Structure formats: C-alpha cells, structure tokens
Amino acid sequence: MNAVPIDPVSAERVEYAPYGDFESDCPARMGVDIFGNSWLPVLVYLLRGGPMRPGELRAAIGGISQKMLTQTLRRMEQMTLVRRHRYAEAPPRVEYELTEAGVDLLTPIYALGEWVDKHGASVNAAQAEADDEENRPLGEYEADT
C-alpha cells in the first residue's frame, strides 16, 4: 500500500462541540458505521483510481457476492460517496466513481492501512494465541499452574 504517512503528533486535531454521550444519532457513529461495513472501505479504495464497472469491482475484490456488491454500491450512492453513471448503450453500461466525500474517505483508509502495516502482525499473533488458549482442553490449563 502506498499510504501517505501521517504524523500523529503534528496531525491537526479538531475539537467538536459536545453532542451528548453516546446519543443514538451522534454524527461520530456514522464514521464507525462506515468502517463497520467490511466492503465499503474496500470499494472506496478500489475506486480511488477512477470510475469502474461493477464487474470490474467484483473481479478485483474476490469473495463478494453480486448481491452484497449491489447493496453496498446502492448504500454508498445514497450516502453520496459514489456517483453512478448509466450510459445509453446496448448493452447498458454502468460505472461508479467517487464523489468528493468518497475521495475524502481515502485519508482515514490510508491511516488505517498504515496502522495495520505497523501493528497488524502483533495483533494477529495475539489473536492466534488467544484462540489457542480458548481451544486448549481443560486439563492443559492445570499443567500451566
């Protein structure tokens, strides 16, 4: 990944007016929701180079069903993250491209990629160790004490 390095010390911090602790309509939840959708950031990242057709996106991702791709692209269009272009051709052709809001999402995606590059191996190792602990037979725990 060719991420743009971000210096956390010099990164500009923005102070927001208090909204209310954990309000259900808190704007910060939108950000969590966006990154909670496993395919949305992937599609934003793929579209960074310009418009793509749904078939190209599906082939580039691998593992996403046509239904999930369609649902995610529709949701992204409703959120104004992508723009859908339909061409009056036979056969019909559709392309998706990032809007300004979609392009702006690349900044946190690159930052997350940088974090994963730096910490991913240790997080995966810790998770594997925790999974091993959970799967150990009960008698093995007694030997550790």
Side-chain angles (χ1 to χ4, degrees), residues 50-67:
M52 292 180 75
R53 298 177 70 173
E56 296 170 324
L57 290 166
R58 188 163 180 223
I61 295 173
I64 188 171
S65 69
Q66 183 63 48
K67 179 182 176 183

Side-chain angles (χ1 to χ4, degrees), residues 115-135:
W115 182 90
V116 169
D117 188 50
K118 185 175 180 181
H119 300 288
S122 63
V123 170
N124 281 336
Q127 186 62 53
E129 186 176 321
D131 289 347
D132 288 346
E133 289 282 325
E134 287 180 15
N135 295 324

Side-chain angles (χ1 to χ4, degrees), residues 9-97:
V9 175
S10 65
E12 183 177 328
R13 303 281 184 220
V14 178
E15 292 294 325
Y16 298 99
Y19 191 80
D21 292 341
F22 309 108
E23 295 289 331
S24 62
D25 62 343
C26 174
R29 288 189 177 210
M30 180 180 14
V32 173
D33 184 46
I34 286 171
F35 283 91
N37 179 314
S38 60
W39 296 115
L40 194 150
V42 173
L43 289 169
V44 169
Y45 186 77
L46 282 172
L47 289 167
R48 75 194 183 284
M52 292 180 75
R53 298 177 70 173
E56 296 170 324
L57 290 166
R58 188 163 180 223
I61 295 173
I64 188 171
S65 69
Q66 183 63 48
K67 179 182 176 183
M68 183 55 64
L69 176 64
T70 300
Q71 287 176 346
T72 306
L73 287 168
R74 282 184 184 154
R75 183 165 182 242
M76 292 172 70
E77 188 177 11
Q78 290 167 350
M79 298 173 79
T80 69
L81 299 175
V82 296
R83 192 173 301 110
R84 181 177 187 258
H85 296 285
R86 281 189 312 165
Y87 296 92
E89 300 174 351
R93 181 169 58 109
V94 174
E95 289 182 336
Y96 290 88
E97 72 175 327

